[in-house]
Amino acid sequence: MEADHVIRALAALAQEHRLAVFRLLVQAGAEGLAAGVLAERIGVPPSSMSFHLTQLANAGLVTQRRESRSIIYSADYAAMNGLMGYLTENCCGGVPCGDAGACQPDPARPDPARKANS
Amino acid sequence: MEADHVIRALAALAQEHRLAVFRLLVQAGAEGLAAGVLAERIGVPPSSMSFHLTQLANAGLVTQRRESRSIIYSADYAAMNGLMGYLTENCCGGVPCGDAGACQPDPARPDPARKANS
DNA sequence: CCAATGATTCGATAAATATCGAAATATCGA
DNA sequence: TCGATATTTCGATATTTATCGAATCATTGG
């Protein structure tokens, strides 16, 4: 992962609402969440959420797919993995994590249908 | 680590010059580097470097100490560690890393295959 | 004390970001 | 086709960020 790409990913996560969105998407796993659901859970108007989702997508951290009228966003674990790899390698003294530290689609989350905003 | 703190740390690293500075400081280890040296290496005027160093310090990612006329900046590995921990915990599906992934002062690149602490 | 050195603060300015309502664009069900 | 639903795009605006030279503050050596 290149520095320029890393910077865009960091900038995408360096915002209250976007970080919250990404956390929700990580919890949601491959199933993902619709833009409107995210807007409601985070508490911002749809147009604002659309702006933030564009930023996240532009940084490569999320993917989108259309499902009927909704557009479903999902976290891109590979991208997050790449970001973590860069930070570990370049900003942590190069102490890696073996192979156990890979970002994965939520190993301990049985039911993503439960809403959990705190 | 609180979300608000995490966001400031992410924002601090989400800038070309500051990311470069932090990488230099990680490489430099506990010895650190003077503000002027950083300004020269990165290629920005001292006042601009001071601005960026303030951002990094404000985010808790670097510490400073005066040494004669110079002010020496060092990477705060614990803070970076906290950031990585938060991201792993909240943005990576909660796949932890044991203690092997801790950020450390770059002791000349140790064996990458090193597993959990013995 | 004074001049030199290293760093920060202070303007002032250009650029990027975040916000949100209104309008436009898809999709579906009937 | 029509109306309802879901999302994005478009303006317009307020805020934050990045930049840099000039001035200021702190430290050292003579």
Side-chain angles (χ1 to χ4, degrees):
Chain A
M1 197 178 231
E2 299 180 18
D4 185 49
H5 190 188
V6 167
I7 286 170
R8 253 183 316 178
L10 289 169
L13 293 177
Q15 208 277 342
E16 181 189 353
H17 297 328
R18 288 196 295 267
L19 184 59
V21 163
F22 192 74
R23 289 182 58 182
L24 285 178
L25 291 181
V26 166
Q27 288 176 26
E31 200 170 326
L33 290 169
V37 173
L38 289 168
E40 167 141 9
R41 292 230 191 140
I42 301 294
V44 299
S47 63
S48 296
M49 180 52 64
S50 194
F51 169 78
H52 290 305
L53 289 171
T54 299
Q55 307 286 307
L56 285 167
N58 202 17
L61 288 171
V62 303
T63 60
Q64 51 188 315
R65 68 180 195 274
R66 178 173 279 279
E67 197 155 295
S68 172
R69 263 170 281 191
S70 298
I71 295 189
I72 312 289
Y73 285 85
S74 308
D76 188 324
Y77 295 93
M80 191 62 197
N81 229 7
L83 175 59
M84 295 298 283
Y86 181 94
L87 293 179
T88 300
E89 190 65 32
N90 293 278
C91 297
C92 267
V95 181
C97 202
D99 358 334
C103 301
Q104 282 170 13
D106 111 31
R109 180 72 51 167
D111 188 3
R114 167 84 176 101
K115 86 171 181 184
N117 193 346
S118 49
Chain B
M1 199 179 229
E2 303 253 357
D4 184 47
H5 189 187
V6 167
I7 287 171
R8 255 183 315 178
L10 289 170
L13 293 177
Q15 208 279 341
E16 180 189 354
H17 298 327
R18 288 197 294 266
L19 184 60
V21 163
F22 192 74
R23 290 183 58 183
L24 285 178
L25 291 181
V26 166
Q27 287 176 27
E31 199 170 326
L33 290 170
V37 172
L38 289 168
E40 168 141 11
R41 292 232 189 135
I42 301 295
V44 300
S47 63
S48 296
M49 179 52 64
S50 195
F51 168 78
H52 290 305
L53 288 171
T54 298
Q55 308 285 308
L56 285 168
N58 201 17
L61 289 171
V62 303
T63 59
Q64 49 188 316
R65 68 178 195 276
R66 179 173 279 278
E67 197 155 294
S68 172
R69 261 169 280 190
S70 297
I71 294 188
I72 311 290
Y73 286 85
S74 307
D76 188 322
Y77 295 93
M80 190 61 198
N81 230 7
L83 175 60
M84 294 297 284
Y86 181 94
L87 292 179
T88 300
E89 191 65 32
N90 293 277
C91 297
C92 265
V95 180
C97 204
D99 289 341
C103 302
Q104 284 170 13
D106 189 10
R109 290 299 171 91
D111 184 3
R114 180 164 136 263
K115 296 269 173 158
N117 54 351
S118 0

